[in-house]
Amino acid sequence: MSDARSKDWTRVYFGDVVKLSGERSNDPEDDGFERFVGLDHIDPGDLKIRRWGDVADGTTFTSVFRPGQVLFGKRRV
């Protein structure tokens, strides 16, 4: 790292600073959810979610997130 302050940083494991939420919904429409966010809704370089899909249009999502939580996108090859 080229940042002069980096020598004062403490390296931590990702799991030490975030916790994976296990909250799920098998029937999002019945559970009262109206929107879902997929990786295609997250724009590179933008920290705000500005787009989403409508649950009523159909979705296969099961993971639930709440305001204030960190979203970490992962893709399987």
Short mmCIF file of all heavy atoms in Angstrom, two decimals, residues 32-55:
data_model
loop_
_atom_site.label_atom_id
_atom_site.label_comp_id
_atom_site.label_asym_id
_atom_site.label_seq_id
_atom_site.Cartn_x
_atom_site.Cartn_y
_atom_site.Cartn_z
N GLY A 32 -44.38 -10.12 2.59
CA GLY A 32 -44.56 -8.68 2.55
C GLY A 32 -43.45 -7.90 1.86
O GLY A 32 -43.43 -6.67 1.93
N PHE A 33 -42.56 -8.58 1.17
CA PHE A 33 -41.49 -7.88 0.45
C PHE A 33 -42.00 -7.43 -0.91
O PHE A 33 -42.71 -8.16 -1.59
CB PHE A 33 -40.27 -8.78 0.28
CG PHE A 33 -39.59 -9.11 1.57
CD1 PHE A 33 -39.77 -10.34 2.17
CD2 PHE A 33 -38.79 -8.18 2.20
CE1 PHE A 33 -39.16 -10.65 3.36
CE2 PHE A 33 -38.18 -8.47 3.40
CZ PHE A 33 -38.36 -9.72 3.99
N GLU A 34 -41.64 -6.21 -1.29
CA GLU A 34 -42.07 -5.67 -2.58
C GLU A 34 -40.93 -5.59 -3.58
O GLU A 34 -41.16 -5.58 -4.78
CB GLU A 34 -42.64 -4.26 -2.37
CG GLU A 34 -43.88 -4.24 -1.51
CD GLU A 34 -44.37 -2.84 -1.22
OE1 GLU A 34 -43.74 -1.86 -1.70
OE2 GLU A 34 -45.37 -2.71 -0.51
N ARG A 35 -39.68 -5.48 -3.08
CA ARG A 35 -38.54 -5.29 -3.97
C ARG A 35 -37.43 -6.28 -3.65
O ARG A 35 -37.34 -6.78 -2.54
CB ARG A 35 -37.99 -3.87 -3.82
CG ARG A 35 -39.00 -2.81 -4.17
CD ARG A 35 -38.43 -1.44 -4.03
NE ARG A 35 -38.51 -1.00 -2.65
CZ ARG A 35 -38.27 0.22 -2.24
NH1 ARG A 35 -37.90 1.15 -3.10
NH2 ARG A 35 -38.39 0.55 -0.98
N PHE A 36 -36.58 -6.51 -4.65
CA PHE A 36 -35.38 -7.31 -4.44
C PHE A 36 -34.23 -6.63 -5.16
O PHE A 36 -34.41 -5.85 -6.09
CB PHE A 36 -35.56 -8.75 -4.92
CG PHE A 36 -35.66 -8.89 -6.42
CD1 PHE A 36 -34.52 -9.15 -7.18
CD2 PHE A 36 -36.88 -8.76 -7.07
CE1 PHE A 36 -34.61 -9.27 -8.56
CE2 PHE A 36 -36.97 -8.89 -8.45
CZ PHE A 36 -35.84 -9.14 -9.19
N VAL A 37 -33.02 -6.92 -4.70
CA VAL A 37 -31.80 -6.38 -5.31
C VAL A 37 -30.95 -7.54 -5.77
O VAL A 37 -30.64 -8.44 -4.98
CB VAL A 37 -31.01 -5.51 -4.30
CG1 VAL A 37 -29.70 -5.05 -4.89
CG2 VAL A 37 -31.85 -4.33 -3.84
N GLY A 38 -30.60 -7.52 -7.04
CA GLY A 38 -29.68 -8.51 -7.59
C GLY A 38 -28.36 -7.84 -7.94
O GLY A 38 -28.26 -6.60 -7.93
N LEU A 39 -27.35 -8.63 -8.23
CA LEU A 39 -26.04 -8.05 -8.56
C LEU A 39 -26.13 -7.12 -9.76
O LEU A 39 -25.39 -6.15 -9.85
CB LEU A 39 -25.01 -9.16 -8.83
CG LEU A 39 -24.54 -9.92 -7.59
CD1 LEU A 39 -23.57 -11.02 -8.00
CD2 LEU A 39 -23.91 -8.99 -6.59
N ASP A 40 -27.06 -7.38 -10.67
CA ASP A 40 -27.20 -6.52 -11.84
C ASP A 40 -27.82 -5.16 -11.49
O ASP A 40 -27.81 -4.25 -12.30
CB ASP A 40 -28.02 -7.21 -12.92
CG ASP A 40 -29.36 -7.71 -12.43
OD1 ASP A 40 -29.44 -8.18 -11.28
OD2 ASP A 40 -30.34 -7.67 -13.20
N HIS A 41 -28.32 -5.01 -10.28
CA HIS A 41 -28.87 -3.73 -9.83
C HIS A 41 -27.83 -2.85 -9.13
O HIS A 41 -28.11 -1.70 -8.82
CB HIS A 41 -30.05 -3.96 -8.86
CG HIS A 41 -31.19 -4.67 -9.49
ND1 HIS A 41 -31.64 -5.89 -9.04
CD2 HIS A 41 -31.98 -4.35 -10.54
CE1 HIS A 41 -32.67 -6.28 -9.78
NE2 HIS A 41 -32.88 -5.36 -10.71
N ILE A 42 -26.68 -3.41 -8.84
CA ILE A 42 -25.64 -2.68 -8.11
C ILE A 42 -24.64 -2.14 -9.13
O ILE A 42 -24.01 -2.90 -9.87
CB ILE A 42 -24.95 -3.59 -7.08
CG1 ILE A 42 -26.00 -4.10 -6.07
CG2 ILE A 42 -23.83 -2.85 -6.38
CD1 ILE A 42 -25.48 -5.15 -5.12
N ASP A 43 -24.49 -0.82 -9.16
CA ASP A 43 -23.61 -0.18 -10.13
C ASP A 43 -22.20 -0.05 -9.56
O ASP A 43 -22.02 0.41 -8.43
CB ASP A 43 -24.14 1.21 -10.50
CG ASP A 43 -25.50 1.13 -11.18
OD1 ASP A 43 -25.66 0.26 -12.05
OD2 ASP A 43 -26.39 1.93 -10.84
N PRO A 44 -21.18 -0.44 -10.33
CA PRO A 44 -19.79 -0.31 -9.87
C PRO A 44 -19.47 1.13 -9.50
O PRO A 44 -19.87 2.07 -10.19
CB PRO A 44 -18.96 -0.75 -11.09
CG PRO A 44 -19.90 -1.54 -11.94
CD PRO A 44 -21.26 -0.98 -11.69
N GLY A 45 -18.78 1.30 -8.39
CA GLY A 45 -18.35 2.63 -7.96
C GLY A 45 -19.43 3.46 -7.29
O GLY A 45 -19.19 4.60 -6.93
N ASP A 46 -20.62 2.90 -7.11
CA ASP A 46 -21.71 3.63 -6.47
C ASP A 46 -22.11 2.90 -5.20
O ASP A 46 -22.45 1.72 -5.24
CB ASP A 46 -22.91 3.72 -7.42
CG ASP A 46 -23.95 4.73 -6.98
OD1 ASP A 46 -23.90 5.20 -5.83
OD2 ASP A 46 -24.82 5.06 -7.80
N LEU A 47 -22.08 3.58 -4.08
CA LEU A 47 -22.38 2.95 -2.80
C LEU A 47 -23.88 2.93 -2.48
O LEU A 47 -24.28 2.38 -1.47
CB LEU A 47 -21.63 3.64 -1.67
CG LEU A 47 -20.10 3.55 -1.76
CD1 LEU A 47 -19.45 4.33 -0.63
CD2 LEU A 47 -19.65 2.09 -1.72
N LYS A 48 -24.69 3.54 -3.33
CA LYS A 48 -26.13 3.56 -3.08
C LYS A 48 -26.85 2.65 -4.06
O LYS A 48 -26.48 2.55 -5.23
CB LYS A 48 -26.67 4.98 -3.22
CG LYS A 48 -26.18 5.90 -2.14
CD LYS A 48 -26.89 7.21 -2.19
CE LYS A 48 -26.41 8.08 -1.04
NZ LYS A 48 -27.25 9.24 -0.84
N ILE A 49 -27.88 2.00 -3.56
CA ILE A 49 -28.72 1.17 -4.43
C ILE A 49 -29.76 2.08 -5.04
O ILE A 49 -30.57 2.69 -4.34
CB ILE A 49 -29.38 0.03 -3.62
CG1 ILE A 49 -28.31 -0.89 -3.08
CG2 ILE A 49 -30.37 -0.73 -4.51
CD1 ILE A 49 -28.81 -1.91 -2.12
N ARG A 50 -29.72 2.20 -6.34
CA ARG A 50 -30.63 3.11 -7.04
C ARG A 50 -31.64 2.37 -7.92
O ARG A 50 -32.55 2.96 -8.47
CB ARG A 50 -29.83 4.09 -7.88
CG ARG A 50 -28.86 4.92 -7.04
CD ARG A 50 -28.04 5.86 -7.88
NE ARG A 50 -26.95 6.43 -7.14
CZ ARG A 50 -27.05 7.46 -6.31
NH1 ARG A 50 -28.22 8.02 -6.09
NH2 ARG A 50 -25.99 7.93 -5.67
N ARG A 51 -31.44 1.06 -8.06
CA ARG A 51 -32.34 0.26 -8.89
C ARG A 51 -32.65 -1.04 -8.16
O ARG A 51 -31.88 -1.48 -7.32
CB ARG A 51 -31.68 -0.07 -10.24
CG ARG A 51 -31.33 1.15 -11.03
CD ARG A 51 -30.64 0.84 -12.37
NE ARG A 51 -29.33 0.23 -12.18
CZ ARG A 51 -29.00 -0.99 -12.61
NH1 ARG A 51 -29.87 -1.73 -13.25
NH2 ARG A 51 -27.80 -1.47 -12.42
N TRP A 52 -33.78 -1.65 -8.49
CA TRP A 52 -34.17 -2.91 -7.90
C TRP A 52 -35.23 -3.54 -8.78
O TRP A 52 -35.71 -2.94 -9.73
CB TRP A 52 -34.71 -2.72 -6.48
CG TRP A 52 -35.74 -1.63 -6.40
CD1 TRP A 52 -37.07 -1.73 -6.71
CD2 TRP A 52 -35.52 -0.28 -6.03
NE1 TRP A 52 -37.69 -0.53 -6.55
CE2 TRP A 52 -36.75 0.40 -6.11
CE3 TRP A 52 -34.40 0.45 -5.60
CZ2 TRP A 52 -36.90 1.73 -5.81
CZ3 TRP A 52 -34.55 1.78 -5.31
CH2 TRP A 52 -35.78 2.41 -5.41
N GLY A 53 -35.60 -4.76 -8.46
CA GLY A 53 -36.66 -5.45 -9.19
C GLY A 53 -37.90 -5.55 -8.31
O GLY A 53 -37.83 -5.42 -7.09
N ASP A 54 -39.03 -5.78 -8.93
CA ASP A 54 -40.29 -5.94 -8.21
C ASP A 54 -40.55 -7.42 -7.94
O ASP A 54 -40.54 -8.24 -8.88
CB ASP A 54 -41.46 -5.36 -9.01
CG ASP A 54 -41.37 -3.85 -9.14
OD1 ASP A 54 -40.98 -3.20 -8.14
OD2 ASP A 54 -41.69 -3.33 -10.22
N VAL A 55 -40.80 -7.76 -6.70
CA VAL A 55 -41.07 -9.15 -6.33
C VAL A 55 -42.28 -9.68 -7.10
O VAL A 55 -42.30 -10.84 -7.51
CB VAL A 55 -41.28 -9.25 -4.80
CG1 VAL A 55 -41.84 -10.61 -4.41
CG2 VAL A 55 -39.97 -8.98 -4.07
#
